[in-house]
Amino acid sequence: MPSSSQWIAFLVASILFIQVPGPSLLFTLGRALTVGRRDALLSVVGNALGVVVQVLLVAVGLGAVVAASATAYTVLKLVGAAYVVHLGVQAIRHRGDARAALLSDRARAPEQGRRSVGTGFVVGVTNPKTIVFFVAFLPQFTADGSAAGPQLAVLGLVFGVLCVLSDGAWALVAGSARTWFSRRPERLDGLGVAGGTMMIALGAGMAAQQ
């Protein structure tokens, strides 16, 4: 396992990296603004599960294939970007639904929660930048003389936990702002459009990245 100094360096580097605005953070903010705090937090959990899948791929060496294959990288990038754009368009089309959900006191069906987790999962697992980041970043903190796979898996899982804590905090902040805006219900439609536009811009940016 990594040494104490390697763990400290890894934690510091991970925290700094996570705080740089990227697909996961912007996606979380967009979800919090369009569907509310609860579903945004569930999407954060789903996103983390997608990250875990990527970690396992890296641990068994498949991440290196995506990092080395321009075609695999491009396909995964475009799939993820298209899905985020779709979510943004849906948020704008159904902006009235977000207002109704916020103002309703009725309990949401379990399927809604599963859909939110699934939405986050798709975004997380189709983000190729994370795979490339793991391939380039995680090996720097593994100890020589020990099997790299288990170390990469542990480091990646810790990274996923840090992502959940950070994105969850941002979701709570954005969700609180959404609640504040909702004191005047007519603001919610514009808020839904803002969140949807943010996700569309994010998807376009993901597709344009090299």
Side-chain angles (χ1 to χ4, degrees), residues 116-204:
S116 294
V117 173
T119 295
F121 177 82
V122 171
V123 173
V125 81
T126 58
N127 182 6
K129 299 293 274 189
T130 309
I131 293 182
V132 176
F133 170 75
F134 283 155
V135 172
F137 180 72
L138 296 185
Q140 302 177 43
F141 303 97
T142 57
D144 295 332
S146 301
Q151 295 185 75
L152 292 173
V154 171
L155 289 169
L157 290 174
V158 172
F159 182 86
V161 170
L162 293 174
C163 287
V164 169
L165 295 175
S166 176
D167 290 350
W170 281 110
L172 291 174
V173 171
S176 296
R178 179 177 183 268
T179 302
W180 181 82
F181 277 115
S182 71
R183 291 173 185 171
R184 291 183 58 186
E186 64 273 14
R187 294 174 176 172
L188 283 177
D189 290 352
L191 199 58
V193 172
T197 302
M198 180 185 296
M199 284 191 282
I200 292 173
L202 167 61

Side-chain angles (χ1 to χ4, degrees), residues 1-98:
M1 284 292 106
S3 64
S4 298
S5 60
Q6 286 176 313
W7 270 113
I8 293 174
F10 168 75
L11 292 173
V12 171
S14 296
I15 291 172
L16 292 176
F17 177 82
I18 291 169
Q19 298 311 310
V20 175
S24 292
L25 177 56
L26 295 178
F27 171 73
T28 297
L29 294 176
R31 290 288 287 174
L33 291 174
T34 55
V35 297
R37 184 162 40 194
R38 175 183 178 274
D39 286 322
L41 289 172
L42 290 173
S43 294
V44 167
V45 173
N47 190 275
L49 292 176
V51 170
V52 168
V53 170
Q54 291 190 338
V55 168
L56 295 178
L57 290 176
V58 170
V60 299
L62 295 182
V65 175
V66 175
S69 171
T71 300
Y73 177 89
T74 300
V75 169
L76 195 57
K77 176 183 68 174
L78 293 178
V79 169
Y83 187 68
V84 171
V85 170
H86 168 74
L87 292 175
V89 171
Q90 290 299 101
I92 294 174
R93 289 184 58 195
H94 301 285
R95 53 190 177 275
D97 294 348

